[in-house]
């Protein structure tokens, strides 16, 4: 059954703050194989004009995807998460994520459409820091595959 179009535009409450730590940034950079010293060396980051180490661009995915869980878990939406695959991800940054940031995410359903029986859901996550400054917008596309016919 197709998802309810009336959910387009629905915004969910901001998440609890996520505190970005230097060690988490270092671990993430290692995990993705990015040796940029701005991710691990405070002096290198300061040399580039940042107050502390910065995170690789995809670091924020873990925070925004978890926030999108509010949408996924909304029982009124009726999304069957057992059939969901991650379709796409993109980011638009105002500034890099930095160690010491306390980030909150507000998720909004941007679009819902059905193609070939698959429900496609686009969720926009607005990420702000502890001062209310907009840091990044993340878009997550989820595809709920059509049920297989018996």
């Amino acid at each position: 059954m197709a998802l309810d179009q009336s959910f387009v535009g629905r915004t969910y409450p901001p998440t609890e703050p996520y505190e970005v730590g230097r060690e988490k940034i270092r671990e993430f950079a290692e995990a993705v194989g990015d040796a940029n010293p701005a991710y691990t060396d405070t002096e290198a980051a300061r040399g580039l004009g940042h107050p502390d180490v910065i995170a690789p661009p995809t670091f924020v995915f873990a925070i925004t995807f978890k926030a999108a869980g509010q949408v996924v878990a909304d029982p009124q939406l009726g999304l069957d998460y057992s059939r969901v695959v991650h379709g796409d991800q993109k980011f638009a940054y105002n500034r890099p994520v930095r160690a010491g940031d306390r980030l909150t995410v507000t998720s909004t359903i941007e679009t819902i459409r059905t193609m070939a029986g698959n429900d496609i859901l686009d969720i926009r996550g607005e990420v702000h820091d502890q001062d209310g400054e907009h840091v990044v917008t993340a878009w997550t596309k989820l595809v709920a595959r059509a049920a297989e016919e018996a």
Side-chain angles (χ1 to χ4, degrees):
M1 184 162 89
L3 297 176
D4 186 344
Q5 288 291 319
S6 73
F7 277 73
V8 172
R10 183 173 287 196
T11 297
Y12 293 78
T15 61
E16 290 296 316
Y18 175 90
E19 188 163 344
V20 179
R22 284 188 195 110
E23 188 64 14
K24 286 289 187 187
I25 292 172
R26 184 192 62 75
E27 290 170 351
F28 186 87
E30 282 182 7
V32 298
D34 194 330
N36 184 333
Y39 305 150
T40 57
D41 182 330
T42 303
E43 292 308 313
R46 286 184 181 144
L48 295 170
H50 304 290
D52 206 329
V53 295
I54 59 173
T58 56
F59 177 87
V60 77
F61 172 77
I63 303 164
T64 57
F65 193 73
K66 183 176 181 181
Q70 291 177 302
V71 176
V72 169
D74 186 336
Q76 294 177 325
L77 179 60
L79 183 65
D80 180 358
Y81 193 69
S82 71
R83 306 204 62 75
V84 170
V85 294
H86 184 243
D88 191 24
Q89 188 72 46
K90 62 184 177 178
F91 306 98
Y93 275 87
N94 282 342
R95 67 158 175 84
V97 170
R98 302 183 285 238
D101 278 341
R102 290 180 48 83
L103 304 176
T104 58
V105 183
T106 303
S107 297
T108 301
I109 298 175
E110 277 203 332
T111 63
I112 296 173
R113 60 190 183 284
T114 302
M115 292 177 61
N118 300 311
D119 287 322
I120 303 169
L121 180 67
D122 291 302
I123 303 167
R124 184 183 72 244
E126 298 289 348
V127 181
H128 292 84
D129 69 10
Q130 62 279 359
D131 298 321
E133 179 185 355
H134 180 257
V135 177
V136 59
T137 300
W139 290 271
T140 301
K141 183 182 302 295
L142 300 178
V143 179
R145 297 169 289 122
E148 296 173 12
E149 294 185 29

